[in-house]
Amino acid sequence: MMDLRELYQEIILDHGRHPRNFRKIENPTHTARGHNPLCGDRVTVYLTLDGDVISDAAFEGRGCAISTAAASLMTEVLKGKTVAEGRELFAHFHARVTGGEESPLSEPLAEEMERLEPLTGVRAYPARVKCATLSWHAVEAALKGDGVPVKTE
Ligand code: ZN
């Protein structure tokens, strides 16, 4: 039997090696780039919004296993969510990985948060927190639509 930590490591390695939604969206409604100079991670996120719903989410980039796995898992949980739900998930995820105060999550989002749980182990490694949150910051920038690449520094 694998313990939970091993399982989480397996999930990160799997998503790091075989990232989901690793592609460019042609004509995205929102896109932004992100760069984490501390680790060298680079990501470009693409979103297609249908009204207020994120109907498609994808990314391209190069980075460490954690940044790639984080972007992969993020695109999976964002699909089908509203922008407000996406932001709520990010706020919660950010609090989990930085040790900040967590706001309560509504039921369907709590389930999605469980899928991000493997990444919350970075909390013990402050330098890796930026790897885990880079793609989320890029999504935030994309939604703001100011087109300025985000840097985690
Ligand atoms: Zn990294």
Side-chain angles (χ1 to χ4, degrees):
M1 277 282 285
M2 267 193 221
D3 70 23
L4 205 55
R5 226 166 116 172
E6 281 175 56
L7 175 66
Y8 285 174
Q9 266 173 9
E10 278 302 308
I11 291 170
I12 289 172
L13 286 174
D14 178 42
H15 279 263
R17 286 184 191 131
H18 311 286
R20 320 302 197 266
N21 305 304
F22 190 80
R23 59 188 160 83
K24 183 178 183 175
I25 295 177
E26 302 297 336
N27 309 314
T29 57
H30 297 72
T31 181
R33 283 176 297 156
H35 180 210
N36 173 17
L38 201 65
C39 179
D41 309 315
R42 287 183 184 277
V43 67
T44 304
V45 298
Y46 306 98
L47 300 173
T48 302
L49 260 63
D50 186 0
D52 199 31
V53 175
I54 301 165
S55 60
D56 199 6
F59 77 105
E60 287 181 317
R62 255 185 339 196
C64 65
I66 289 179
S67 71
T68 304
S72 174
L73 285 160
M74 179 195 74
T75 54
E76 284 200 318
V77 301
L78 281 182
K79 269 200 219 185
K81 302 291 175 306
T82 64
V83 170
E85 287 170 335
R87 287 201 163 116
E88 203 180 330
L89 279 167
F90 180 33
H92 201 85
F93 178 65
H94 196 264
R96 288 300 297 270
V97 296
T98 58
E101 199 170 317
E102 290 171 37
S103 48
L105 274 179
S106 48
E107 192 46 50
L109 292 186
E111 252 172 58
E112 297 293 347
M113 187 58 216
E114 271 176 37
R115 300 174 65 188
L116 301 174
E117 201 61 38
L119 290 160
T120 57
V122 299
R123 189 171 171 161
Y125 311 93
R128 309 317 295 273
V129 168
K130 287 169 179 166
C131 303
T133 55
L134 175 66
S135 53
W136 287 92
H137 284 295
V139 160
E140 189 63 44
L143 290 171
K144 274 192 211 151
D146 49 19
V148 180
V150 288
K151 264 194 183 187
T152 55
E153 290 300 292

